[in-house]
Amino acid sequence: MTSQGSKRMPGRRRRHIIVQRCVLGCVAAAWLLPTIGLLVTSFREKRSALGSGWWTAIARPFDSEWTMENYSRVLTDQGMGNAFVNTLVVVVPSTLIPMTLAAFAGYGFAWGRFAGRNVLFVLAFALMILPLQITFIPLLRLFARVDLQGSFVAVWLVHAGSSLPIAIYLMRNYMASLPRELLEAARVDGASHLGTFWRVVVPLSLPAIASYGIFQFLWTWNDYLIALVFLGTTTDREVATVNLAEMIGTRGQDWNLLTAGAFVTMVVPLLVFFSLQRYFVRGLTAGSVKG
Amino acid sequence: MNRWALATTGVLSGTIGVALVVRVLANLAQRLPIRYRRSGESWAFIGPALTLMSAILIVPGVLTVVNSFRDARSERFVGLDNYRWLISDAQVRSVLANNLLWLMVVPAFTLAWSLTIAVLADRLSGRWEGIAKSVIFLPVAISLVGASTIWGFVYAVRPEGRDQIGVLNAILSALGIEPVAWLLEPTVNDFALMAIMIWLETGFGMVVLSAAIKAVPSETIEAARIDGANERQVLWAVVLPQIRSTMLLVYTTVLISTLKVFDVVSVLTSGNFGTDVIAHRFIIELFRFRDYGRAAAIVVVLMLATTPFMWLNYRFHRREDLTR
């Protein structure tokens, strides 16, 4: 539907549009309000944050005492700074490993020649029905036996492995849609499968690879369950979401600290969201079935 | 090894290392008899991914299904005992009832809400529409733990007579109503937790539905208008029928994530005060009671419950072709 210009519109319809604008504005405000409360409170002194509503500080911004102390306390005393680094250590390999594996596999499924190719592709994709939890008990035992329990390597492997079905599905479908002539031209020029892959397929598939990469980056950044189970809550290993959840458990009433901690965990996803919204939407809708 | 070095090693072996493995395998394939060469080369591309998927998903998945028929330590076969416990235990039954409540409320509410917003936004001019949509879409980027913190603060409660610092109780006290312990009061707390999920998922539904509404051919709408249909009739008789499969896609997608809800419950109530759900109960059986048989049975049931919806979702997904 195209939106109507507001000129030369009958009075009733114009009134209609004003009402709609108000309703939508109210919904948007209600959606934003909780997050604004979080942000405002994270800059308030403990006494005022726990003594009066955050909206009173907005109403009288110059009478209120603002502070960065919550952030410095959360980052150092509460170990959020350390947990933030742990999150990076988890997220970057957990994004790049499945991206690489799935790019190769996607090419193999799209352009390789072997018996049972399509059946195998459907089976790989069908693994999406497995809930993450189904792997926990055997994998915990396995990692304990090979001395990887509570290690970053274990988390990378779990994130990468569990993400492969959706990743392969996205890559294969994108790569299969590339024009056949291009690939055949490369083959006629004497390129091997690997040569075609690197020189033709990867450059043309960058949009799909980027969409998947952003989706997986945010997914692993925001993950709580896998990090909790495979890395645990010890201070040297915990990631930011686990640190925040622990803080809610132990300091549940210190809202000045909790809000600052929550904002630290949210800042990277929000930056990604604002800067790469277009790719983000594509990755999100494509990968929404995961989990 | 310090963690930066470890991460660098991980990245290098996961990218360049994988590429080298594929190269070596592809070269080895060249030594095969000529009729196997092409298929051998193809296997070199998918081999590494298949190996990791087998190790992380397939083998553990099969083992868990087997373990669900074994006892707490996975030593002895106990037949269907774990499943019998699942349907007969009163506590588990109330957990399942909670999941059912989530399933009835969250997907339907999210769909209705995101559809309303998508329709409203579609009628406004570009800039306003864009801002409102960005704001409503924003929570999608936030983790469930972060969202739980945000909402935990909205639900904060203080004894009556003191200044309320949670928005909801501040509104109540301004209206002269007693404060409510949103996360402690049974049944109220279920809805308080569900609201977080709805807040988070609405943006996803709105974006997908808006795209579908924009893709409705304008001739069909014009034709209906010429025939004298008013806006409401155009919406119900022309637009909605054409975006039906997208609506179902949103519904099933939210339904699948609702079935698996864990973070919100774990962080805000730890499943206490009657809010427990199945995915959280799994973690309790696993780490607190160390009953691997029951934990495995729970997750097998979770898988069986999600499978039909995953299949439907896949069907709608294909029809919408969102991947392109």
Side-chain angles (χ1 to χ4, degrees):
Chain A
M1 281 198 290
T2 49
S3 41
Q4 308 282 314
S6 56
K7 277 173 201 160
R8 274 197 285 152
M9 221 181 261
R12 237 182 88 217
R13 178 173 268 179
R14 179 179 284 174
R15 225 175 304 137
H16 223 76
I17 290 224
I18 291 172
V19 171
Q20 282 172 355
R21 196 172 285 180
C22 289
V23 172
L24 196 65
C26 291
V27 173
W31 237 248
L32 198 58
L33 202 69
T35 315
I36 291 182
L38 180 96
L39 193 58
V40 171
T41 307
S42 71
F43 293 107
R44 296 181 78 197
E45 290 225 291
K46 181 172 180 175
R47 199 153 19 96
S48 45
L50 300 186
S52 60
W54 55 267
W55 48 91
T56 57
I58 292 201
R60 272 180 261 108
F62 301 109
D63 294 350
S64 323
E65 292 181 42
W66 302 101
T67 174
M68 290 297 289
E69 200 205 326
N70 299 326
Y71 282 94
S72 62
R73 277 191 60 196
V74 159
L75 288 172
T76 54
D77 303 354
Q78 299 295 327
M80 183 59 95
N82 186 50
F84 189 89
V85 175
N86 285 341
T87 300
L88 276 174
V89 172
V90 166
V91 164
V92 175
S94 296
T95 304
L96 293 176
I97 295 170
M99 205 157 116
T100 313
L101 286 169
F104 280 114
Y107 176 84
F109 281 120
W111 296 100
R113 290 279 156 72
F114 57 97
R117 182 183 72 168
N118 289 330
V119 175
L120 200 60
F121 171 65
V122 170
L123 287 180
F125 172 60
L127 289 175
M128 294 228 316
I129 63 167
L130 297 180
L132 288 171
Q133 293 92 335
I134 207 163
T135 65
F136 285 3
I137 301 167
L139 283 183
L140 284 171
R141 285 181 176 158
L142 172 75
F143 290 140
R145 200 174 314 152
V146 295
D147 214 16
L148 281 177
Q149 197 167 32
S151 73
F152 289 112
V153 177
V155 182
W156 299 340
L157 292 176
V158 176
H159 270 311
S162 60
S163 178
L164 276 175
I166 180 70
I168 291 175
Y169 174 75
L170 295 176
M171 299 291 175
R172 183 259 171 204
N173 283 356
Y174 194 90
M175 290 174 179
S177 72
L178 296 175
R180 176 174 288 276
E181 302 82 56
L182 269 175
L183 277 91
E184 266 162 13
R187 301 231 67 170
V188 169
D189 290 345
S192 63
H193 265 313
L194 266 177
T196 319
F197 175 77
W198 284 118
R199 260 170 275 153
V200 181
V201 174
V202 168
L204 289 177
S205 303
L206 281 180
I209 296 174
S211 286
Y212 168 74
I214 292 165
F215 161 74
Q216 175 70 357
F217 180 89
L218 285 170
W219 208 90
T220 45
W221 190 284
N222 286 338
D223 162 73
Y224 172 60
L225 184 58
I226 290 181
L228 178 71
V229 169
F230 290 98
L231 271 179
T233 53
T234 52
T235 41
D236 57 331
R237 296 282 162 76
E238 65 179 0
V239 299
T241 47
V242 172
N243 179 288
L244 179 60
E246 290 289 299
M247 221 186 334
I248 295 174
T250 54
R251 320 196 58 124
Q253 294 309 312
D254 293 348
W255 286 109
N256 56 322
L257 294 182
L258 294 179
T259 51
F263 195 71
V264 173
T265 70
M266 284 158 45
V267 69
V268 172
L270 288 181
L271 284 178
V272 171
F273 173 82
F274 281 121
S275 52
L276 302 165
Q277 199 167 351
R278 219 169 49 109
Y279 284 103
F280 178 63
V281 171
R282 217 187 306 167
L284 178 93
T285 50
S288 53
V289 222
K290 199 199 153 188
Chain B
M1 204 187 310
N2 98 20
R3 55 192 167 170
W4 293 110
L6 187 69
T8 313
T9 317
V11 167
L12 291 179
S13 48
T15 51
I16 297 173
V18 167
L20 281 176
V21 169
V22 173
R23 154 144 288 175
V24 168
L25 289 176
N27 286 343
L28 282 178
Q30 299 304 326
R31 307 230 177 116
L32 290 171
I34 190 128
R35 42 191 291 250
Y36 298 119
R37 234 171 248 174
R38 292 203 69 177
S39 60
E41 223 183 340
S42 307
W43 280 101
F45 278 82
I46 60 172
L50 282 189
T51 310
L52 186 64
M53 270 199 291
S54 312
I56 298 295
L57 290 175
I58 302 174
V59 175
V62 172
L63 283 176
T64 298
V65 173
V66 173
N67 284 342
S68 74
F69 299 105
R70 288 180 165 159
D71 67 357
R73 311 235 131 272
S74 312
E75 282 156 357
R76 201 163 49 79
F77 266 92
V78 295
L80 289 171
D81 276 8
N82 294 317
Y83 292 95
R84 226 167 274 144
W85 165 79
L86 256 179
I87 44 176
S88 61
D89 188 275
Q91 222 183 357
V92 177
R93 235 190 262 166
S94 82
V95 172
L96 292 175
N98 264 341
N99 267 80
L100 207 59
L101 185 65
W102 279 75
L103 281 187
M104 288 190 305
V105 175
V106 176
F109 208 90
T110 308
L111 175 62
W113 211 197
S114 49
L115 187 61
T116 312
I117 295 169
V119 169
L120 280 178
D122 186 64
R123 300 203 177 150
L124 298 180
S125 61
R127 196 168 53 133
W128 282 96
E129 185 192 341
I131 295 172
K133 275 162 79 175
S134 283
V135 165
I136 294 165
F137 190 48
L138 190 77
V140 175
I142 297 173
S143 67
L144 279 161
V145 180
S148 302
T149 319
I150 293 177
W151 281 85
F153 189 45
V154 170
Y155 296 140
V157 60
R158 322 230 101 190
E160 212 182 342
R162 289 180 61 187
D163 271 359
Q164 295 294 337
I165 58 169
V167 175
L168 273 182
N169 278 321
I171 294 173
L172 287 189
S173 75
L175 297 171
I177 304 171
E178 277 178 37
V180 176
W182 298 99
L183 295 173
L184 304 181
E185 200 86 41
T187 325
V188 173
N189 54 13
D190 279 319
F191 287 95
L193 296 177
M194 286 187 241
I196 303 174
M197 193 81 167
I198 295 169
W199 180 73
L200 208 83
E201 299 271 359
T202 296
F204 157 74
M206 176 204 66
V207 165
V208 178
L209 288 166
S210 275
I213 291 175
K214 293 223 189 303
V216 169
S218 55
E219 307 89 72
T220 59
I221 294 165
E222 291 306 319
R225 288 212 179 106
I226 290 167
D227 289 346
N230 62 31
E231 286 305 308
R232 187 165 301 168
Q233 286 166 328
V234 168
L235 177 67
W236 284 94
V238 180
V239 176
L240 293 191
Q242 294 190 71
I243 61 165
R244 203 167 35 195
S245 67
T246 313
M247 286 162 62
L248 290 168
L249 173 77
V250 170
Y251 187 86
T252 48
T253 304
V254 177
L255 190 139
I256 292 164
S257 40
T258 304
L259 260 169
K260 297 175 178 173
V261 62
F262 166 77
D263 305 24
V264 177
V265 175
S266 168
V267 170
L268 284 178
T269 65
S270 309
N272 294 318
F273 321 116
T275 57
D276 211 356
V277 287
I278 191 83
H280 181 260
R281 182 70 195 203
F282 164 79
I283 292 291
I284 299 290
E285 290 296 331
L286 180 59
F287 289 113
R288 194 179 299 162
F289 302 133
R290 304 213 163 257
D291 191 323
Y292 297 150
R294 288 177 175 180
I298 289 178
V299 75
V300 170
V301 167
L302 193 61
M303 177 179 71
L304 294 178
T306 44
T307 306
F309 300 109
M310 299 286 285
W311 185 76
L312 280 175
N313 196 294
Y314 171 69
R315 297 278 311 263
F316 303 137
H317 215 285
R318 289 205 58 161
R319 206 170 313 164
E320 289 305 309
D321 213 12
L322 285 167
T323 51
R324 301 306 325 281

